[in-house]
Amino acid sequence: MARRPSPAPRLRGRALAAALAGLATLVAGCAAVPSSGPVQSAAAPPGGSGTNCCGLIMSGPRPGMDPVGIVSGFLLASASFAHRNGIAREYLTPGASRSWSPGSAVTIVEPNPAVVEPPRGLEPGNSGTAVRAGRVVATVSSTGLYHPLDGKDSGQVQNFGLVRVKGQWRISILPGSGRVSHQLLLPEGLFNLVYKPQNLYFYAQGSSRVLVPAPVFVPSESSGPKTNDPATMLVRDLLSGPPGWLAAAADSAFPPGTRLREVQVLPGTPGTKTAIVSLTMPPRAVRPARLRAVDAQLVWALTSQSYGDPLIQSVKLKVNGNFWPRSGSAVLGQSDYRQDVPQPAAGNPYFVSQAGGVRVLARTEPGSRAKDIAVPGPVGAGRFPLSQIAVSPDHSRVAGIAGPRSTVYVGNLAAAAAHGAGPSAGEPRPRLSGTSFSTPSWDSTGNLWVAGRMHGQNGIWVVRNGRGTPWLVTPSDRLGRVTALRVAPDGVRVAMIAGKGASTQLLLGALIRTGSAYGLGPVLRLAPNLTAISALTWYDADHLLAVTKSASGGTQLWEVPVNGGIAVKQGGAPQRGIVSVAAAGPRNPLYLGLSTGRLERSAGLREFWSDVTAGRDVAYPG
């Protein structure tokens, strides 16, 4: 089957459209001031101070600009990093320019600055005024971690003080505490143009071959010195180790004492460039297995296509002055380490028939009649009805919920299919008893995870190997009630729905294993534009699919990047009754389970849906 395109370019295109729409608002505001504003569509004049950023021409302040226009122009020009943000500094007084030292962290604001009351230290009237930037909607840490804000957090005040300098307004007081302001403020739409999402990759704790993505944002282009080149920034972030939310669940192959000498990007057309990464390491740490692991982290971080076009196509690793592998011509790319980043389990999807038996759908051509067969044993024969099913990645076991008290059962499909097995072989066994259990989820090592209520408390529970004693997972953050969860193919990340009704949130965390105990690290909020979330699944290693409910009863399917960006709607108007969704990457069809008792199938994202068969609780293995 031909490989279907990744969702990343489409997401990037939609983000670009949203960014341009946001910029139009800000640019319109600039055009309302007496001059034409700092943003133009014409070419930069020869020898002028204009800078081309993302197809926009930025220039310094024009005579007669009012305070709002000055702040608007400053926010736009801040996206030009050339000459230490030279264009943006033209909007500042000399003293403010000296006290402005923006770092790599970013504060993202809505593009609607407005005049407010002057802060203390500024006289009212013509000598001074103040402008408040738009509401803060997100921040990006110095290591590139994106954090959307809402509620009281988003009400942060970003006041600018302005004074007249030779009859023209200039910014004299910048937001931020202290004598020096390190804030880089960017309007929301502009941020989406000048920064791009990328992934860092770290090894799952205790594994030498399973890489876990950690999304970050880096400038789309070099922000001045070579040390601020996007490729260099990614390598530096790799050397810093896993970010806080992943720190206790993942490791880095870079040995202590590793230092970055240089990242040299060889000339080439987009998508064909090679990066030479030069490192120094303690000599005793230079071992083939270690270098192989380091190289895999570098290759995946620099060549990732998860959210758009890759920065680099291939990598040459140089350690202590020597190329690795020893051949100086050796370049390695994703194809050399493709199995290190697990994708959703392949295979045919499973579902529950009208009679209550678990069945598996056979692969058929689009438009042809669906074919399905019963799984072996009692669960396939319908003698032990299950709902909300999950099948292990190796297809050997099935978990589901049955009984009036919502008991979680696990059945052995492999034992039921064994030669000579009797009619009761593989019969499901109870593993958890309680109420309000979510659809179970298997991880890549055969552990079973489920959220629900046991012993009078809400929580997340793990059944080791699907047959051990249930363990309560201890979270780092207060999550509230978790109503759904799905463990990622890497076995480390877990996506969850927490809360209820319109207040539900989509969260991402990392599972921590310490001896025989299990924990859950700090969580990140995903899809800040979604509420009333009712179902989810992993689409691929970097995207989820989620279902939301509207007040009128309609349901909507969304594609959700796990980098913290907004969810993208799939299809047109909401349709009624999506109960479950199943996906296994762009190479496999998508399935919906509807409240009408029917299953629907689509060849891929943004493709037509067609009726398949009667059934419910559709799920791919995992």
Side-chain angles (χ1 to χ4, degrees):
M1 178 186 293
R3 188 179 188 274
R4 297 188 180 96
S6 162
R10 295 192 294 271
L11 285 172
R12 185 71 176 164
R14 288 171 181 257
L16 179 62
L20 293 175
L23 280 176
T25 302
L26 187 54
V27 173
C30 295
V33 300
S35 73
S36 59
V39 182
Q40 311 165 62
S41 59
S49 62
T51 297
N52 189 327
C53 174
C54 322
L56 300 172
I57 305 300
M58 299 179 180
S59 64
R62 304 299 178 90
M65 292 182 75
D66 68 10
V68 171
I70 289 292
V71 172
S72 297
F74 172 77
L75 293 174
L76 284 169
S78 295
S80 173
F81 305 121
H83 309 296
R84 295 182 60 246
N85 301 90
I87 300 296
R89 292 181 186 277
E90 295 181 26
Y91 291 86
L92 308 178
T93 64
S97 180
R98 288 191 296 271
S99 68
W100 188 45
S101 180
S104 53
V106 184
T107 300
I108 304 166
V109 297
E110 289 180 338
N112 55 346
V115 174
V116 296
E117 289 297 319
R120 283 164 41 172
L122 281 180
E123 298 179 9
N126 291 334
S127 61
T129 190
V131 172
R132 178 169 296 169
R135 182 179 64 94
V136 177
V137 296
T139 61
V140 176
S141 71
S142 59
T143 57
L145 187 63
Y146 184 92
H147 180 60
L149 303 180
D150 62 358
K152 63 180 181 180
D153 292 334
S154 63
Q156 297 176 16
V157 175
Q158 304 291 328
N159 281 341
F160 293 80
L162 290 91
V163 297
R164 288 189 184 274
V165 177
K166 297 180 180 180
Q168 302 297 321
W169 289 106
R170 293 294 182 265
I171 297 169
S172 60
I173 299 177
L174 288 157
S177 59
R179 299 178 61 184
V180 177
S181 174
H182 297 286
Q183 284 208 71
L184 176 63
L185 272 73
L186 291 177
E188 187 175 13
L190 192 58
F191 171 80
N192 292 326
L193 292 178
V194 299
Y195 277 74
K196 66 178 296 185
Q198 291 285 129
N199 277 336
L200 304 175
Y201 288 86
F202 299 96
Y203 286 97
Q205 194 177 57
S207 169
S208 61
R209 294 302 293 265
V210 176
L211 285 171
V212 182
V216 294
F217 281 77
V218 296
S220 300
E221 299 176 356
S222 177
S223 57
K226 190 173 182 180
T227 54
N228 289 336
D229 176 84
T232 302
M233 294 177 71
L234 286 171
V235 177
R236 279 207 314 263
D237 288 343
L238 276 177
L239 288 171
S240 298
W245 70 275
L246 190 59
D251 300 309
S252 179
F254 291 85
T258 302
R259 299 288 183 268
L260 174 62
R261 283 184 176 177
E262 181 186 31
V263 177
Q264 181 184 4
V265 180
L266 302 181
T269 57
T272 67
K273 296 180 180 179
T274 294
I276 301 176
V277 180
S278 298
L279 305 172
T280 58
M281 286 184 189
R284 283 184 290 184
V286 180
R287 298 288 184 268
R290 168 88 72 172
L291 296 182
R292 184 258 173 220
V294 165
D295 194 55
Q297 281 186 259
L298 290 168
V299 165
W300 270 99
L302 294 176
T303 69
S304 172
Q305 303 177 53
S306 298
Y307 302 108
D309 296 331
L311 291 172
I312 303 296
Q313 184 188 43
S314 55
V315 173
K316 296 175 72 172
L317 176 60
K318 197 174 186 180
V319 177
N320 298 340
N322 299 313
F323 282 107
W324 183 88
R326 285 292 183 177
S327 170
S329 61
V331 294
L332 298 174
Q334 274 193 26
S335 60
D336 298 287
Y337 303 110
R338 188 161 302 281
Q339 300 305 315
D340 290 18
V341 178
Q343 298 295 324
N348 297 331
Y350 294 76
F351 70 99
V352 178
S353 70
Q354 289 178 314
V358 177
R359 304 181 71 83
V360 58
L361 276 167
R363 185 69 59 91
T364 58
E365 293 299 321
S368 60
R369 188 172 182 274
K371 298 178 181 179
D372 57 85
I373 58 172
V375 300
V379 295
R383 296 198 303 270
F384 206 102
L386 297 176
S387 64
Q388 297 174 242
I389 62 167
V391 176
S392 62
D394 63 0
H395 306 257
S396 67
R397 287 170 293 173
V398 60
I401 298 173
R405 298 187 64 229
S406 294
T407 301
V408 178
Y409 287 82
V410 176
N412 193 324
L413 299 180
H419 180 70
S424 62
E427 182 173 314
R429 306 289 183 186
R431 298 303 178 191
L432 301 95
S433 292
T435 59
S436 305
F437 284 120
S438 67
T439 300
S441 179
W442 295 91
D443 68 21
S444 55
T445 62
N447 296 323
L448 185 69
W449 300 79
V450 65
R453 186 172 181 83
M454 285 180 58
H455 312 308
Q457 69 178 119
N458 294 317
I460 297 172
W461 310 83
V462 57
V463 181
R464 288 182 293 177
N465 299 315
R467 57 178 179 268
T469 301
W471 285 77
L472 178 65
V473 177
T474 304
S476 298
D477 296 337
R478 295 184 64 181
L479 303 180
R481 182 186 167 200
V482 175
T483 59
L485 63 80
R486 293 287 290 181
V487 181
D490 50 58
V492 173
R493 297 171 300 158
V494 57
M496 298 166 285
I497 300 172
K500 59 182 180 179
S503 63
T504 53
Q505 292 186 332
L506 193 56
L507 304 174
L508 179 71
L511 300 172
I512 302 166
R513 297 168 175 84
T514 306
S516 60
Y518 292 83
L520 178 66
V523 296
L524 305 175
R525 186 184 176 191
L526 305 179
N529 59 320
L530 296 189
T531 58
I533 310 161
S534 59
L536 81 160
T537 193
W538 286 90
Y539 174 70
D540 60 17
D542 303 289
H543 300 84
L544 302 169
L545 295 179
V547 177
T548 58
K549 290 183 178 179
S550 67
S552 62
T555 54
Q556 181 69 59
L557 184 65
W558 301 79
E559 182 182 21
V560 181
V562 297
N563 59 26
I566 63 171
V568 179
K569 183 189 295 186
Q570 301 299 302
Q575 67 183 83
R576 290 189 177 275
I578 301 177
V579 177
S580 61
V581 56
R587 294 179 180 270
N588 296 288
L590 306 177
Y591 289 88
L592 299 178
L594 305 181
S595 59
T596 58
R598 303 295 300 181
L599 303 182
E600 289 189 353
R601 176 176 57 198
S602 172
L605 294 172
R606 281 164 287 279
E607 301 287 348
F608 291 109
W609 292 92
S610 59
D611 183 79
V612 178
T613 188
R616 53 189 170 86
D617 300 319
V618 62
Y620 277 101

